[in-house]
Amino acid sequence: MRKLFVIGIGAGNPEHMTVQAITALNKADVLFIPDKGEEKSDLAALRHEICDRFVTNARTRRISFDVPKRATPSPSYESTVDDWHAAIATIYEALIRDEIAEDGCGALLIWGDPMLYDSALRILERVRHRGNVNFDTEVIPGITAIQSLCASHQIALNRIADPVLITTGRRLLGDGMPPNAGTVVVMLDGNCAFRSLPDKNLTIFWGAYLGTPDEIIISGRLGDVEDRIVAVRAEARAAKGWIMDTYLLRRQGEAEEDAS
């Protein structure tokens, strides 16, 4: 039966690659490289750099494929994403069917970790349920943007006995800072939702292009640095044509419990 590795390749630094991920790359007959257009060509280039650096199997080949753009949400965000995933599922199905031999092995290279705010696993499950091609999957974890963010700022993700919540910019904008978490990590925020928060005494740890030579990090009291983050983010996006960023928000003045 066909096999597909779903490999987390880290948040942008080739040295985030694990030994397990490198081993999986070299077991694959074909590596699938997503192409999101000229504007985001850096993302495909990094995947090729990883392959150039770590793939030693001379029989392994690479197949690039175009990723369709997601439409503007209408009539709802959920239905738009569902349509987008259906289109990608059709592409995945064709790649698995046409490029992987019956007893062969392929690999998808996933930014960060496949389990965190990436839809590849859900889309592959959709392909499997269609029943047109049989395949097994194996998931290889990778370094996430959250790990890279905390490492760059030299902070722990959690405080002692304090819950951590991971959310999106869309939810932060709609729901505000969750009351039940002292630490909140925000991903997929294209509109700087932190500006909408009334509590300007929150501490923010922000980072873009994490793990890459272009990495930018800013931290401080939200009220003091939010305008700077917005300006720096806009400048960086204009210069590169794309941006990947995430941030951690933390309430101040909450005593940490003694774990002893």
Side-chain angles (χ1 to χ4, degrees):
M1 181 181 289
R2 295 174 175 90
K3 182 170 184 176
L4 184 68
F5 287 109
V6 186
I7 304 175
I9 62 170
N13 185 344
E15 295 190 1
H16 287 170
M17 291 288 291
T18 65
V19 174
Q20 185 184 19
I22 295 169
T23 299
L25 283 178
N26 282 287
K27 288 181 179 178
D29 306 308
V30 56
L31 307 174
F32 299 123
I33 310 293
D35 186 344
K36 296 187 176 183
E38 185 63 31
E39 189 177 78
K40 295 185 177 180
S41 60
D42 289 356
L43 305 183
L46 177 70
R47 287 174 168 89
H48 283 293
E49 179 185 344
I50 285 171
C51 293
D52 291 341
R53 182 168 176 176
F54 296 115
V55 175
T56 57
N57 184 349
R59 297 189 305 275
T60 301
R61 56 196 175 90
R62 304 177 202 176
I63 299 290
S64 294
F65 65 95
D66 294 333
V67 178
K69 290 186 177 181
R70 192 178 70 200
T72 301
S74 177
S76 72
Y77 176 79
E78 288 77 11
S79 64
T80 300
V81 171
D82 186 66
D83 291 342
W84 183 46
H85 286 179
I88 298 175
T90 298
I91 295 170
Y92 281 3
E93 182 178 303
L95 290 172
I96 295 168
R97 182 192 63 230
D98 299 339
E99 302 295 345
I100 303 177
E102 287 286 349
D103 59 348
C105 178
L108 279 171
L109 281 65
I110 304 298
W111 202 270
D113 187 294
M115 65 85 189
L116 183 65
Y117 284 103
D118 185 272
S119 294
L121 295 176
R122 281 187 290 270
I123 295 170
L124 288 170
E125 210 40 47
R126 185 186 294 237
V127 174
R128 185 175 284 108
H129 287 159
R130 289 180 175 181
N132 297 323
V133 59
N134 293 322
F135 61 97
D136 288 330
T137 55
E138 182 174 338
V139 180
I140 310 297
I143 298 294
T144 68
I146 298 173
Q147 292 167 278
S148 189
L149 177 74
C150 291
S152 292
H153 282 287
Q154 301 183 36
I155 58 171
L157 173 61
N158 67 295
R159 299 191 297 188
I160 297 173
D162 194 17
V164 175
L165 186 141
I166 303 172
T167 189
T168 64
R170 182 183 298 271
R171 293 298 299 267
L172 185 71
L173 188 62
D175 302 340
M177 183 75 174
N180 60 338
T183 297
V184 173
V185 177
V186 183
M187 306 186 73
L188 305 177
D189 183 5
N191 296 305
C192 299
F194 52 80
R195 293 180 298 176
S196 68
L197 299 175
D199 184 359
K200 300 305 179 183
N201 286 319
L202 294 167
T203 301
I204 185 169
F205 299 89
W206 176 85
Y209 313 116
L210 292 162
T212 76
D214 298 319
E215 178 179 276
I216 311 167
I217 57 172
I218 298 173
S219 65
R221 178 180 171 272
L222 180 60
D224 295 333
V225 300
E226 61 180 337
D227 289 343
R228 180 183 167 205
I229 292 173
V230 171
V232 168
R233 187 183 190 280
E235 182 180 349
R237 182 172 185 174
K240 288 182 70 69
W242 63 277
I243 191 165
M244 281 189 177
D245 62 329
T246 190
Y247 55 92
L248 182 152
L249 295 165
R250 181 162 285 162
R251 287 188 170 90
Q252 294 183 348
E254 295 185 0
E256 297 184 343
E257 297 180 18
D258 189 347
S260 61

